[in-house]
Amino acid sequence: MSSIPALLSSRFQAVTGIDPELRPATKAAFGHYQCNVALRLANEQGRKPRDVAAEIIEAVDVSDIAEPLEIAGPGFINIRVKMDVLATAVTDQLADPHNGIEQEESPDKVIVDYSAPNVAKPMHVGNLRSTIIGDCLVRVLRAGGNEVIPQNHIGDWGTQFGMLVEQILFEGIDATTLTLDTSVELYKRAQVHFREDEAFAEAARLRVVALQSGDPQTRTIWQALIDVSKAGFNRAYARLGVLLTDEDLAGESMYNPMLASVAEDLEQRGIAVVDQGALCVFVPGDETPLIVRKSDGGFGYAATDLAAIRYRLNDLKATRLIYVVGSPQAHHFAQVFAVAKMAGWLPDTVKAEHVGFGSVLGSDGKMFKTRDGKAVTLDTLLDAAEEVAAPDVAMAAVKYADLSNALHKDYVFDLNRMVATTGDTGPYLQYAHARVSQILRRAEADGDIVVDTTATISILAELAEQTLALLLTRFPDTVAEVVASLQPHKLCLYLFELATQLSTFYEQCPVLKSEGEVRASRLVLCRATQKTLAVGLGLLGITAPERM
Ligand code: ARG
């Protein structure tokens, strides 16, 4: 099943040879879609745009989908979809289990690396954004028929564990009785201790060696620390309603046994060289080298990510790699991808993408902090939201605020704006869904039967009905665009437009007060909008309540 805009596009493309850049018409008077490609072609060929447009209209055959094409202004081609085609498209979409979303013919096996909090550290706002955005991308990619393997690359390895384990032994605590919060406190005490007591610092360094060589007591305590943090992460995931489970955990420690061979491989091929004691890769055009192994012999963050690429391609057979990590790590990923390419571990056929994102700011425009100046944790943020709204609505507010901004932009955490049921917010979309559900409930109570599979629209007489129908048929392409661009805000923008048009439709086209064919037709439009809102919100990881 191809969407109307996709069909139109391919027919135009066959004639023009280039992307016809079909756009929704800017005004209803111009029809439904607009193609401006004649202007571009004319410019290239040194001809009159209107002549080129006339030629295109002559050659392109869309008579089964659209009314006769029209040229407007300097050479725009206006397209008006036939009403019966539009009506059928809406009902077909309604009957389709995927709500029209095109299923990939050659699905990708996609790794989405996201969330990735650190053991014995509180989940910070960056982890929160990664979790919400990653969860949305997983849902959208799956909806397009791709196989998705989430990978939660938690920070469960590194020299800080020497210090943590040593502090636990020093205090004589049973590590299994810790919680994520008390282990964070422990971390702080360990840091102070490390700084102020040279003997402790030395013991902590030896403890790192013991951890790496697999000393049983050290490993047991380390494992307890991880379990405690994992329980904390899982509580946060349950609260957020995201898809991550223990199955998706693939922390840094998992790659530890592979690091030596990564280094060896790179060194043998002459890609990595020893520079001032450290094993480095100099990427052409990059001033700072990627450090594989530090001069003290320890492997760093980058080595682990290189090992992860090898594992994800060779063992998991990935065909697309996505990393949802804050923008400050853009350079890290650019380097890791470049080195993996140099080593031949990342062929050009596999797309590796870093989906970066900006920070969350307070109303003062600075990094979001609590009133006592501490960094905001996930829990404080969610608590604040739940103080002003029911849990489902609070979650919708937080998630939508996160997803509806262009990813790279910082955004201000403004609770009052986020939870409002008017404007471009999550609760507004939930409310739109609840309202249309209520209309359908009332109709059913009146004896109307609105069944998805046999539903047909007989008339789309009013402009508000046509515009709503047209918007509904744009849903599949919107999702496809998010699959390609990995930009969830495009779906948010679409859903907001849909909810807004739904309310225009109510104002101009009474549903429950209408009768006969008009009523039946409007009820189908309501049902299709309800479904599209629910599926769309579902892709954002937001619930679609029937009542609010
Ligand atoms: N744990 C890291 C942090 O909190 C993020 C890890 C992201 N994923 C990766 N493969 N490097 O900054």
Side-chain angles (χ1 to χ4, degrees):
M1 197 175 107
S2 258
S3 69
I4 292 173
L7 273 175
L8 288 169
S9 259
S10 70
R11 302 271 182 91
F12 271 84
Q13 168 115 30
V15 167
T16 58
I18 55 169
D19 180 1
E21 295 175 13
L22 229 66
R23 300 266 179 276
T26 48
K27 275 194 200 134
F30 300 156
H32 300 142
Y33 289 98
Q34 191 171 307
C35 172
N36 302 348
V37 79
L39 281 81
R40 222 176 86 202
L41 286 174
N43 194 21
E44 281 165 26
Q45 298 164 4
R47 300 171 57 203
K48 284 198 195 117
R50 282 188 78 99
D51 292 351
V52 177
E55 235 175 63
I56 294 174
I57 286 185
E58 233 351 87
V60 78
D61 182 13
V62 289
S63 56
D64 54 333
I65 311 171
E67 303 291 349
L69 299 169
E70 281 169 13
I71 305 176
F76 307 128
I77 300 172
N78 289 342
I79 307 161
R80 187 178 294 279
V81 178
K82 285 182 170 166
M83 279 309 132
D84 58 327
V85 173
L86 188 56
T88 306
V90 172
T91 52
D92 283 353
Q93 188 167 310
L94 181 55
D96 180 38
H98 303 289
N99 202 42
I101 300 170
E102 199 84 38
Q103 299 301 293
E104 212 76 57
E105 270 167 35
S106 42
D108 266 314
K109 195 161 184 183
V110 195
I111 304 286
V112 183
D113 179 320
Y114 69 109
S115 192
N118 301 308
V119 166
K121 289 190 188 162
M123 262 182 116
H124 54 73
V125 183
N127 298 127
L128 173 69
R129 290 211 70 188
S130 172
T131 307
I132 293 173
I133 297 161
D135 185 62
C136 169
L137 296 179
V138 169
R139 292 170 192 265
V140 170
L141 288 158
R142 281 194 182 140
N146 298 288
E147 186 184 340
V148 179
I149 309 178
Q151 292 280 279
N152 194 356
H153 195 87
I154 61 168
D156 60 358
W157 195 249
T159 50
Q160 73 272 25
F161 286 97
M163 199 169 77
L164 279 162
V165 171
E166 200 57 35
Q167 185 70 21
I168 286 174
L169 289 168
F170 174 80
E171 294 186 12
I173 342 178
D174 174 0
T176 59
T177 63
L178 288 166
T179 64
L180 181 52
D181 287 341
T182 54
S183 65
V184 171
E185 292 305 314
L186 178 90
Y187 198 147
K188 289 184 197 148
R189 291 198 297 279
Q191 275 177 313
V192 175
H193 202 176
F194 187 89
R195 235 183 291 124
E196 292 176 352
D197 183 345
E198 188 40 50
F200 177 80
E202 189 48 33
R205 280 190 280 270
L206 289 173
R207 195 52 71 181
V208 177
V209 180
L211 178 66
Q212 274 163 345
S213 59
D215 169 60
Q217 185 198 25
T218 309
R219 282 286 170 125
T220 306
I221 298 173
W222 166 75
Q223 187 61 51
L225 276 168
I226 293 175
D227 291 344
V228 157
S229 285
K230 256 175 24 188
F233 302 157
N234 283 336
R235 224 172 327 108
Y237 298 149
R239 203 171 174 194
L240 282 169
V242 296
L243 300 168
L244 281 170
T245 69
D246 280 353
E247 298 250 300
D248 310 318
L249 283 172
E252 293 180 20
S253 66
M254 185 180 114
Y255 301 101
N256 186 48
M258 311 173 197
L259 301 180
S261 101
V262 164
E264 202 178 308
D265 219 11
L266 291 172
E267 204 171 2
Q268 260 171 17
R269 294 183 208 208
I271 296 169
V273 292
V274 176
D275 189 76
Q276 297 170 35
L279 186 64
C280 304
V281 182
F282 289 89
V283 177
D286 195 334
E287 279 172 25
T288 47
L290 174 142
I291 297 176
V292 182
R293 197 180 53 225
K294 294 177 276 184
S295 54
D296 67 4
F299 293 102
Y301 186 55
T304 305
D305 266 322
L306 287 171
I309 288 189
R310 283 215 304 195
Y311 171 76
R312 290 167 183 183
L313 266 78
N314 297 340
D315 296 69
L316 300 180
K317 311 278 180 229
T319 60
R320 187 174 180 186
L321 302 177
I322 295 170
Y323 296 78
V324 188
V325 188
S327 296
Q329 293 195 30
H331 180 244
H332 163 75
F333 285 108
Q335 272 196 327
V336 167
F337 298 161
V339 172
K341 284 205 166 95
M342 286 162 78
W345 299 336
L346 185 60
D348 287 337
T349 48
V350 174
K351 212 159 148 204
E353 295 152 280
H354 170 221
V355 176
F357 51 81
S359 312
V360 181
L361 307 176
S363 49
D364 55 358
K366 297 200 182 113
M367 288 296 267
F368 197 33
K369 295 265 164 66
T370 56
R371 234 169 282 150
D372 50 3
K374 291 202 198 107
V376 174
T377 65
L378 174 73
D379 277 328
T380 52
L381 208 131
L382 295 183
D383 287 345
E386 285 186 8
E387 250 168 55
V388 287
D392 262 9
V393 177
M395 215 50 63
V398 170
K399 286 188 179 180
Y400 191 83
D402 217 277
L403 296 168
S404 60
N405 286 284
L407 289 176
H408 64 273
K409 275 202 229 149
D410 297 340
Y411 75 88
V412 174
F413 190 84
D414 178 350
L415 257 186
N416 291 329
R417 203 193 69 79
M418 279 159 49
V419 299
T421 48
T422 53
D424 189 8
T425 70
Y428 172 67
L429 295 183
Q430 288 185 311
Y431 177 72
H433 180 267
R435 190 167 167 210
V436 75
S437 299
Q438 184 190 44
I439 290 178
L440 287 160
R441 251 192 331 267
R442 288 199 179 144
E444 273 160 4
D446 285 353
D448 288 276
I449 303 165
V450 195
V451 187
D452 297 1
T453 44
T454 56
T456 43
I457 296 175
S458 42
I459 350 171
L460 287 171
E462 299 293 325
L463 181 62
E465 294 173 310
Q466 295 171 13
T467 311
L468 185 58
L470 195 69
L471 253 177
L472 286 168
T473 61
R474 270 175 43 203
F475 176 72
D477 294 270
T478 307
V479 175
E481 225 185 307
V482 180
V483 169
S485 68
L486 305 179
Q487 294 180 28
H489 77 272
K490 294 189 172 171
L491 178 56
C492 296
L493 196 69
Y494 168 83
L495 292 173
F496 179 57
E497 219 181 312
L498 182 63
T500 309
Q501 185 57 34
L502 179 65
S503 106
T504 306
F505 161 76
Y506 292 142
E507 274 162 34
Q508 294 172 11
C509 311
V511 180
L512 295 174
K513 285 197 188 109
S514 61
E515 285 170 359
E517 280 190 328
V518 173
R519 179 184 173 99
S521 184
R522 287 182 183 168
L523 282 172
V524 175
L525 271 181
C526 284
R527 175 69 90 209
T529 310
Q530 179 198 39
K531 186 182 175 202
T532 302
L533 281 172
V535 174
L537 282 169
L539 294 177
L540 300 178
I542 295 175
T543 56
E546 301 258 326
R547 294 164 205 267
M548 254 173 104

